[in-house]
Amino acid sequence: MHTLKSGLNEAAGWLFYLILLMLLALALPRTIFDPDSKNFIFLIGIVGIWRYSMGAMHFLRGTLFLYVVYPYYRRKLRKLGSAADPSQVFLLVTSFRIDALTTSMVYRSVIQEAIACGYPTTVVCSIVELSDELLIKSQWSKLNPPERVKLDFVRIPGTGKRDGLAYGFRAISRQLPNADAVVAVVDGDTVLAEGVVKKTVPWFKLFPNVGGLTTNEFCEVRGSYIMSEWHKLRFAQRHINMCSMALSKRVLTMTGRMSVFRASVVTDPEFITDVESDFLEHWRLGRFQFLTGDDKSSWFSLMRLGYDTFYVPDAAINTVEHPPEKSFIKASRKLMFRWYGNNLRQNSRALRLGPKRMGWFTTLVLFDQRVSMWTCLLGLAVAIIASFKYSLAFLLMYLLWIGITRLILTLLLSVSGHRIGPAYPLILYYNQIVGALVKIYVFFRLDQQSWTRQNTKLDRGLASFTQRFNTWSSRAMTFSASSVFIAALLALV
């Protein structure tokens, strides 16, 4: 009954969206749809050539990897058989301030995977609170693992996930893992799907230079319908982009929810330092530590140390998402601020590694991350200016264009294997505009960081003059860049 009701609601949603598009089209003059007219609607798409071409490349590359290249790799892996098995597996789980129900689900799935994978496995629990230790031991006794599965606790102060990972990595180092051992890093709100360990750990034998790989994500959101759809859309887009970058073995993040590394990587003192104490020397903001973004730090460390990165699309995990606010707009802005900040803090450093190390396509993608905050606003800004200067029809044309193209993009996302919903076209556009504004804001304030779950912020202990200088210089640069952007568009229109 619930499935039927959900299906009817989705059908009604799609119908409502299509009716809105038709009403918008009827409100426009007929010349808009005449290819010989200077007002032909698709001319407005010229301003989006760069963005649409990047999206098209990601879609084609992602589809090629998902349906052609990855199945070929998988056949090669199967031919290796047991020769691809690691000698040891470590499952490192970091937990802090996660509700007991989620923690119980996570550790149950981790212990079950340790039992089912068949490899000698050690579950390493990097925890802060005694209650988590008691809960884990309760699950351990219920599941009663065989002797080849061991349990190890690492108790740390509640100083952040980076410290939790570093303590865990050092605990694994003390066990002197074999050269072909593998370490999976699992977040405290990630439930492992059945068989995920066996699907991920053998790839390191097939690709000797891959230092880390990550997995496909699905989610259960403890929040509103729109918040749930927003997260699910993000994971569908992520899947296509990850597949695209995996074609070059340059996946751009080692997702903190679950990534797998060679043990020789996570026991490397350089890698541990990169994750634990990553920092940026900024020409204006000075030197500051990274509070969030351990997934980006681990990725950059792999790139700097000369490793490749990979993506396993049929190895799935399920994350339990707890929005930081009840309001969708507040919660999405907070999450975007954290994600885009992590991204931009690593971007310039990665670009400096150069095309020889990163590859030309990856360099192009990194460059696009820097300019997309402006190109994403270009169409809307031009449409608003033209509507004031000439006619409101230009804004209506733009809205119709957005409605049609976002519908097409949503339908294309269905190839990812993730479910699509009628709210996706609107959420896509929300992400484009609000995401671009958040990126611009955070680009000039890279030193501002905060966790959404722990609600902790980076305190640099700066002198009052330096703090005021950073604040006002960030505001001045944001205002100057925005003014130049608007002035250029006014001159263009």
Side-chain angles (χ1 to χ4, degrees):
M1 181 62 75
H2 176 73
T3 306
L4 177 61
K5 185 179 178 181
S6 177
L8 289 173
N9 287 339
E10 287 207 358
W14 285 114
L15 182 62
F16 180 70
Y17 184 82
L18 292 173
I19 289 172
L20 281 180
L21 283 185
M22 287 188 282
L23 290 174
L24 192 55
L26 288 171
L28 289 166
R30 290 189 178 184
T31 55
I32 299 302
F33 304 97
D34 180 3
D36 296 324
S37 167
K38 66 179 180 180
N39 293 328
F40 181 51
I41 186 173
F42 291 106
L43 288 177
I44 203 169
I46 290 173
V47 299
I49 284 175
W50 171 269
R51 285 192 304 104
Y52 290 123
S53 62
M54 286 300 298
M57 277 195 288
H58 273 307
F59 178 78
L60 293 173
R61 285 170 55 93
T63 306
L64 176 64
F65 176 83
L66 189 58
Y67 294 104
V68 179
V69 176
Y70 182 73
Y72 167 72
Y73 285 156
R74 193 167 50 193
R75 289 193 295 270
K76 289 182 67 176
L77 186 64
R78 282 174 183 161
K79 287 180 182 177
L80 291 178
S82 60
D85 292 346
S87 59
Q88 292 171 282
V89 172
F90 293 87
L91 301 177
L92 170 61
V93 190
T94 56
S95 298
F96 182 48
R97 289 188 183 170
I98 297 172
D99 65 275
L101 177 61
T102 302
T103 301
S104 179
M105 291 167 54
V106 168
Y107 279 98
R108 184 176 183 83
S109 73
V110 169
I111 298 166
Q112 285 176 332
E113 275 299 292
I115 296 168
C117 71
Y119 309 125
T121 305
T122 303
V123 178
V124 181
C125 309
S126 182
I127 58 173
V128 176
E129 292 147 337
L130 178 62
S131 59
D132 284 343
E133 182 175 341
L134 297 175
L135 191 152
I136 294 162
K137 286 180 176 177
S138 172
Q139 289 286 357
W140 187 267
S141 62
K142 285 179 186 176
L143 295 168
N144 191 25
E147 275 191 33
R148 61 174 175 77
V149 181
K150 302 188 184 319
L151 182 64
D152 188 15
F153 285 100
V154 180
R155 292 289 296 275
I156 65 163
T159 49
K161 187 180 174 185
R162 288 180 179 273
D163 286 341
L165 290 171
Y167 276 73
F169 292 157
R170 292 190 181 103
I172 293 170
S173 300
R174 288 192 291 271
Q175 297 191 35
L176 303 175
N178 298 329
D180 62 346
V182 173
V183 179
V185 178
V186 182
D187 206 356
D189 56 5
T190 301
V191 180
L192 305 187
E194 187 178 344
V196 69
V197 172
K198 285 188 75 71
K199 287 178 180 176
T200 53
V201 296
W203 289 98
F204 294 97
K205 286 288 178 68
L206 184 65
F207 300 125
N209 200 50
V210 166
L213 57 85
T214 193
T215 52
N216 195 0
E217 288 188 37
F218 296 86
C219 64
E220 175 192 335
V221 182
R222 306 282 170 84
S224 65
Y225 167 78
I226 193 69
M227 197 77 218
S228 176
E229 294 296 280
W230 185 71
H231 275 284
K232 289 170 183 174
L233 168 63
R234 175 174 166 260
F235 287 134
Q237 290 179 297
R238 171 190 180 277
H239 186 55
I240 294 294
N241 288 338
M242 287 285 195
C243 287
S244 170
M245 300 312 300
L247 197 63
S248 308
K249 295 190 181 67
R250 285 293 180 275
V251 173
L252 293 180
T253 183
M254 289 290 98
T255 310
R257 299 304 178 82
M258 180 182 173
S259 291
V260 188
F261 301 88
R262 292 182 185 278
S264 57
V265 169
V266 303
T267 57
D268 184 337
E270 279 193 75
F271 180 83
I272 296 174
T273 301
D274 284 344
V275 173
E276 183 180 31
S277 307
D278 203 2
F279 65 91
L280 185 65
E281 289 277 3
H282 193 273
W283 67 274
R284 177 173 57 85
L285 301 171
R287 174 173 170 155
F288 55 89
Q289 295 288 127
F290 289 174
L291 178 66
T292 64
D294 55 275
D295 52 347
K296 283 291 185 180
S297 294
S298 58
W299 166 76
F300 179 74
S301 186
L302 288 173
M303 293 293 100
R304 188 176 62 80
L305 294 171
Y307 289 101
D308 295 335
T309 53
F310 194 62
Y311 179 64
V312 185
D314 59 356
I317 58 171
N318 296 284
T319 62
V320 183
E321 303 288 343
H322 298 84
E325 300 280 352
K326 289 184 179 179
S327 163
F328 165 71
I329 293 176
K330 286 183 179 178
S332 60
R333 280 202 342 256
K334 269 192 174 183
L335 291 168
M336 285 179 181
F337 181 84
R338 178 161 63 87
W339 295 335
Y340 295 151
N342 295 339
N343 186 300
L344 291 169
R345 276 185 284 275
Q346 297 291 353
N347 183 280
S348 59
R349 301 199 303 179
L351 275 171
R352 284 198 292 271
L353 292 176
K356 188 174 180 181
R357 171 71 194 105
M358 303 300 295
W360 284 104
F361 181 75
T362 307
T363 302
L364 181 66
V365 171
L366 292 169
F367 173 74
D368 180 61
Q369 289 177 352
R370 296 182 77 81
V371 300
S372 64
M373 67 186 83
W374 302 106
T375 58
C376 284
L377 295 174
L378 192 64
L380 177 62
V382 168
I384 291 173
I385 293 169
S387 69
F388 278 112
K389 194 170 184 180
Y390 302 110
S391 166
L392 185 62
F394 282 96
L395 183 58
L396 296 178
M397 286 166 56
Y398 174 73
L399 293 176
L400 182 58
W401 170 259
I402 289 298
I404 293 170
T405 53
R406 272 45 187 184
L407 177 60
I408 293 170
L409 291 174
T410 297
L411 295 175
L412 290 176
L413 281 175
S414 62
V415 306
S416 68
H418 289 244
R419 185 194 63 80
I420 60 173
Y424 281 21
L426 296 177
I427 300 173
L428 276 169
Y429 189 61
Y430 172 84
N431 285 347
Q432 176 186 324
I433 301 303
V434 177
L437 293 173
V438 172
K439 275 186 183 179
I440 291 170
Y441 181 85
V442 75
F443 181 75
F444 296 108
R445 296 163 180 81
L446 293 177
D447 58 329
Q448 293 186 18
Q449 306 162 64
S450 64
W451 280 107
T452 46
R453 184 186 298 134
Q454 290 90 344
N455 198 29
T456 54
K457 295 185 178 181
L458 179 67
D459 182 9
R460 299 173 62 190
L462 297 175
S464 59
F465 172 78
T466 306
Q467 199 163 355
R468 285 198 299 272
F469 171 79
N470 287 355
T471 299
W472 284 101
S473 65
S474 294
R475 290 173 181 172
M477 294 198 72
T478 307
F479 177 77
S480 301
S482 303
S483 299
V484 169
F485 176 71
I486 294 168
L489 291 184
L490 285 169
L492 177 68
V493 174

mmCIF file of all heavy atoms in Angstrom, residues 259-283:
data_model
loop_
_atom_site.group_PDB
_atom_site.id
_atom_site.type_symbol
_atom_site.label_atom_id
_atom_site.label_comp_id
_atom_site.label_asym_id
_atom_site.label_seq_id
_atom_site.Cartn_x
_atom_site.Cartn_y
_atom_site.Cartn_z
ATOM 1 N N SER A 259 35.981 4.354 2.286
ATOM 2 C CA SER A 259 37.021 4.227 1.274
ATOM 3 C C SER A 259 37.972 3.124 1.713
ATOM 4 O O SER A 259 38.066 2.816 2.903
ATOM 5 C CB SER A 259 37.778 5.543 1.086
ATOM 6 O OG SER A 259 36.948 6.517 0.493
ATOM 7 N N VAL A 260 38.659 2.539 0.757
ATOM 8 C CA VAL A 260 39.560 1.417 1.029
ATOM 9 C C VAL A 260 40.954 1.783 0.543
ATOM 10 O O VAL A 260 41.108 2.319 -0.564
ATOM 11 C CB VAL A 260 39.058 0.131 0.339
ATOM 12 C CG1 VAL A 260 39.888 -1.074 0.796
ATOM 13 C CG2 VAL A 260 37.579 -0.107 0.614
ATOM 14 N N PHE A 261 41.968 1.502 1.356
ATOM 15 C CA PHE A 261 43.343 1.865 1.047
ATOM 16 C C PHE A 261 44.258 0.648 1.190
ATOM 17 O O PHE A 261 43.947 -0.297 1.920
ATOM 18 C CB PHE A 261 43.853 2.939 2.022
ATOM 19 C CG PHE A 261 43.064 4.214 2.019
ATOM 20 C CD1 PHE A 261 41.956 4.351 2.849
ATOM 21 C CD2 PHE A 261 43.419 5.272 1.211
ATOM 22 C CE1 PHE A 261 41.224 5.526 2.867
ATOM 23 C CE2 PHE A 261 42.697 6.450 1.217
ATOM 24 C CZ PHE A 261 41.594 6.580 2.037
ATOM 25 N N ARG A 262 45.388 0.726 0.525
ATOM 26 C CA ARG A 262 46.457 -0.230 0.814
ATOM 27 C C ARG A 262 46.957 0.032 2.245
ATOM 28 O O ARG A 262 47.074 1.197 2.658
ATOM 29 C CB ARG A 262 47.629 -0.040 -0.146
ATOM 30 C CG ARG A 262 47.340 -0.400 -1.574
ATOM 31 C CD ARG A 262 48.572 -0.225 -2.451
ATOM 32 N NE ARG A 262 48.222 -0.475 -3.839
ATOM 33 C CZ ARG A 262 48.144 -1.690 -4.384
ATOM 34 N NH1 ARG A 262 48.442 -2.754 -3.642
ATOM 35 N NH2 ARG A 262 47.802 -1.849 -5.641
ATOM 36 N N ALA A 263 47.274 -1.024 2.956
ATOM 37 C CA ALA A 263 47.799 -0.838 4.317
ATOM 38 C C ALA A 263 49.115 -0.074 4.290
ATOM 39 O O ALA A 263 49.417 0.703 5.200
ATOM 40 C CB ALA A 263 47.985 -2.198 4.991
ATOM 41 N N SER A 264 49.894 -0.254 3.225
ATOM 42 C CA SER A 264 51.172 0.463 3.108
ATOM 43 C C SER A 264 50.963 1.963 2.980
ATOM 44 O O SER A 264 51.864 2.746 3.289
ATOM 45 C CB SER A 264 51.966 -0.058 1.904
ATOM 46 O OG SER A 264 51.208 0.073 0.708
ATOM 47 N N VAL A 265 49.775 2.377 2.524
ATOM 48 C CA VAL A 265 49.456 3.804 2.435
ATOM 49 C C VAL A 265 49.116 4.361 3.812
ATOM 50 O O VAL A 265 49.688 5.352 4.265
ATOM 51 C CB VAL A 265 48.282 4.044 1.449
ATOM 52 C CG1 VAL A 265 47.782 5.479 1.555
ATOM 53 C CG2 VAL A 265 48.707 3.749 0.022
ATOM 54 N N VAL A 266 48.158 3.719 4.504
ATOM 55 C CA VAL A 266 47.687 4.278 5.783
ATOM 56 C C VAL A 266 48.717 4.137 6.900
ATOM 57 O O VAL A 266 48.578 4.773 7.948
ATOM 58 C CB VAL A 266 46.336 3.661 6.217
ATOM 59 C CG1 VAL A 266 45.275 3.856 5.171
ATOM 60 C CG2 VAL A 266 46.494 2.202 6.580
ATOM 61 N N THR A 267 49.739 3.324 6.706
ATOM 62 C CA THR A 267 50.806 3.217 7.710
ATOM 63 C C THR A 267 52.004 4.096 7.357
ATOM 64 O O THR A 267 52.982 4.137 8.107
ATOM 65 C CB THR A 267 51.275 1.754 7.853
ATOM 66 O OG1 THR A 267 51.703 1.262 6.569
ATOM 67 C CG2 THR A 267 50.159 0.876 8.386
ATOM 68 N N ASP A 268 51.920 4.800 6.225
ATOM 69 C CA ASP A 268 52.982 5.722 5.812
ATOM 70 C C ASP A 268 52.894 6.980 6.683
ATOM 71 O O ASP A 268 51.861 7.653 6.713
ATOM 72 C CB ASP A 268 52.793 6.081 4.339
ATOM 73 C CG ASP A 268 53.912 6.970 3.801
ATOM 74 O OD1 ASP A 268 54.569 7.660 4.599
ATOM 75 O OD2 ASP A 268 54.116 6.980 2.570
ATOM 76 N N PRO A 269 53.955 7.338 7.418
ATOM 77 C CA PRO A 269 53.905 8.520 8.289
ATOM 78 C C PRO A 269 53.504 9.801 7.560
ATOM 79 O O PRO A 269 52.818 10.660 8.134
ATOM 80 C CB PRO A 269 55.330 8.619 8.842
ATOM 81 C CG PRO A 269 55.869 7.224 8.757
ATOM 82 C CD PRO A 269 55.247 6.617 7.531
ATOM 83 N N GLU A 270 53.921 9.940 6.299
ATOM 84 C CA GLU A 270 53.544 11.130 5.527
ATOM 85 C C GLU A 270 52.033 11.203 5.338
ATOM 86 O O GLU A 270 51.418 12.263 5.465
ATOM 87 C CB GLU A 270 54.237 11.122 4.163
ATOM 88 C CG GLU A 270 55.657 11.609 4.162
ATOM 89 C CD GLU A 270 56.153 11.860 2.743
ATOM 90 O OE1 GLU A 270 55.754 12.870 2.145
ATOM 91 O OE2 GLU A 270 56.929 11.030 2.236
ATOM 92 N N PHE A 271 51.422 10.067 4.994
ATOM 93 C CA PHE A 271 49.977 10.026 4.781
ATOM 94 C C PHE A 271 49.237 10.325 6.083
ATOM 95 O O PHE A 271 48.271 11.102 6.094
ATOM 96 C CB PHE A 271 49.574 8.646 4.252
ATOM 97 C CG PHE A 271 48.097 8.501 3.990
ATOM 98 C CD1 PHE A 271 47.540 8.948 2.800
ATOM 99 C CD2 PHE A 271 47.260 7.906 4.929
ATOM 100 C CE1 PHE A 271 46.178 8.814 2.548
ATOM 101 C CE2 PHE A 271 45.901 7.766 4.700
ATOM 102 C CZ PHE A 271 45.363 8.220 3.506
ATOM 103 N N ILE A 272 49.699 9.740 7.184
ATOM 104 C CA ILE A 272 49.047 9.970 8.481
ATOM 105 C C ILE A 272 49.118 11.451 8.846
ATOM 106 O O ILE A 272 48.126 12.048 9.298
ATOM 107 C CB ILE A 272 49.690 9.108 9.585
ATOM 108 C CG1 ILE A 272 49.479 7.618 9.288
ATOM 109 C CG2 ILE A 272 49.108 9.455 10.945
ATOM 110 C CD1 ILE A 272 50.203 6.680 10.233
ATOM 111 N N THR A 273 50.271 12.079 8.623
ATOM 112 C CA THR A 273 50.427 13.506 8.924
ATOM 113 C C THR A 273 49.520 14.353 8.039
ATOM 114 O O THR A 273 48.919 15.331 8.503
ATOM 115 C CB THR A 273 51.899 13.932 8.739
ATOM 116 O OG1 THR A 273 52.725 13.145 9.603
ATOM 117 C CG2 THR A 273 52.086 15.401 9.063
ATOM 118 N N ASP A 274 49.415 13.977 6.757
ATOM 119 C CA ASP A 274 48.542 14.719 5.836
ATOM 120 C C ASP A 274 47.092 14.699 6.309
ATOM 121 O O ASP A 274 46.377 15.702 6.210
ATOM 122 C CB ASP A 274 48.611 14.112 4.424
ATOM 123 C CG ASP A 274 49.889 14.485 3.695
ATOM 124 O OD1 ASP A 274 50.555 15.433 4.133
ATOM 125 O OD2 ASP A 274 50.213 13.829 2.687
ATOM 126 N N VAL A 275 46.640 13.562 6.811
ATOM 127 C CA VAL A 275 45.258 13.449 7.269
ATOM 128 C C VAL A 275 45.070 14.147 8.617
ATOM 129 O O VAL A 275 44.077 14.844 8.840
ATOM 130 C CB VAL A 275 44.830 11.965 7.368
ATOM 131 C CG1 VAL A 275 43.454 11.834 8.003
ATOM 132 C CG2 VAL A 275 44.830 11.319 5.975
ATOM 133 N N GLU A 276 46.034 13.981 9.508
ATOM 134 C CA GLU A 276 45.892 14.494 10.872
ATOM 135 C C GLU A 276 46.094 15.997 10.959
ATOM 136 O O GLU A 276 45.362 16.691 11.686
ATOM 137 C CB GLU A 276 46.905 13.797 11.783
ATOM 138 C CG GLU A 276 46.799 14.199 13.236
ATOM 139 C CD GLU A 276 47.820 13.476 14.097
ATOM 140 O OE1 GLU A 276 48.916 13.154 13.588
ATOM 141 O OE2 GLU A 276 47.523 13.233 15.269
ATOM 142 N N SER A 277 47.074 16.519 10.233
ATOM 143 C CA SER A 277 47.483 17.921 10.445
ATOM 144 C C SER A 277 47.575 18.695 9.136
ATOM 145 O O SER A 277 48.493 19.504 8.949
ATOM 146 C CB SER A 277 48.841 17.966 11.162
ATOM 147 O OG SER A 277 48.817 17.191 12.328
ATOM 148 N N ASP A 278 46.643 18.478 8.222
ATOM 149 C CA ASP A 278 46.676 19.181 6.944
ATOM 150 C C ASP A 278 46.442 20.676 7.172
ATOM 151 O O ASP A 278 45.676 21.071 8.056
ATOM 152 C CB ASP A 278 45.590 18.619 6.013
ATOM 153 C CG ASP A 278 45.907 18.868 4.547
ATOM 154 O OD1 ASP A 278 46.976 19.445 4.256
ATOM 155 O OD2 ASP A 278 45.079 18.493 3.688
ATOM 156 N N PHE A 279 47.097 21.484 6.361
ATOM 157 C CA PHE A 279 46.960 22.934 6.516
ATOM 158 C C PHE A 279 47.160 23.610 5.160
ATOM 159 O O PHE A 279 47.603 22.994 4.190
ATOM 160 C CB PHE A 279 47.985 23.472 7.524
ATOM 161 C CG PHE A 279 49.418 23.323 7.051
ATOM 162 C CD1 PHE A 279 50.047 24.338 6.335
ATOM 163 C CD2 PHE A 279 50.135 22.157 7.311
ATOM 164 C CE1 PHE A 279 51.359 24.193 5.891
ATOM 165 C CE2 PHE A 279 51.439 22.005 6.877
ATOM 166 C CZ PHE A 279 52.054 23.025 6.164
ATOM 167 N N LEU A 280 46.827 24.895 5.117
ATOM 168 C CA LEU A 280 46.990 25.679 3.894
ATOM 169 C C LEU A 280 47.704 26.980 4.229
ATOM 170 O O LEU A 280 47.385 27.639 5.225
ATOM 171 C CB LEU A 280 45.619 25.979 3.275
ATOM 172 C CG LEU A 280 45.617 26.707 1.919
ATOM 173 C CD1 LEU A 280 46.233 25.835 0.837
ATOM 174 C CD2 LEU A 280 44.195 27.099 1.520
ATOM 175 N N GLU A 281 48.687 27.344 3.390
ATOM 176 C CA GLU A 281 49.334 28.650 3.484
ATOM 177 C C GLU A 281 48.665 29.557 2.464
ATOM 178 O O GLU A 281 48.883 29.419 1.267
ATOM 179 C CB GLU A 281 50.828 28.527 3.187
ATOM 180 C CG GLU A 281 51.637 27.840 4.263
ATOM 181 C CD GLU A 281 52.025 28.789 5.384
ATOM 182 O OE1 GLU A 281 51.601 29.972 5.330
ATOM 183 O OE2 GLU A 281 52.734 28.362 6.308
ATOM 184 N N HIS A 282 47.837 30.502 2.929
ATOM 185 C CA HIS A 282 47.089 31.379 2.041
ATOM 186 C C HIS A 282 47.742 32.754 2.003
ATOM 187 O O HIS A 282 48.156 33.278 3.039
ATOM 188 C CB HIS A 282 45.638 31.487 2.523
ATOM 189 C CG HIS A 282 44.705 32.110 1.532
ATOM 190 N ND1 HIS A 282 44.509 33.463 1.449
ATOM 191 C CD2 HIS A 282 43.918 31.558 0.567
ATOM 192 C CE1 HIS A 282 43.633 33.732 0.486
ATOM 193 N NE2 HIS A 282 43.260 32.589 -0.064
ATOM 194 N N TRP A 283 47.809 33.343 0.805
ATOM 195 C CA TRP A 283 48.527 34.619 0.651
ATOM 196 C C TRP A 283 47.915 35.749 1.477
ATOM 197 O O TRP A 283 48.610 36.669 1.897
ATOM 198 C CB TRP A 283 48.562 35.023 -0.826
ATOM 199 C CG TRP A 283 47.214 35.364 -1.402
ATOM 200 C CD1 TRP A 283 46.312 34.498 -1.928
ATOM 201 C CD2 TRP A 283 46.606 36.663 -1.483
ATOM 202 N NE1 TRP A 283 45.179 35.163 -2.345
ATOM 203 C CE2 TRP A 283 45.341 36.502 -2.093
ATOM 204 C CE3 TRP A 283 47.004 37.949 -1.121
ATOM 205 C CZ2 TRP A 283 44.477 37.564 -2.337
ATOM 206 C CZ3 TRP A 283 46.152 39.016 -1.365
ATOM 207 C CH2 TRP A 283 44.902 38.818 -1.967
#
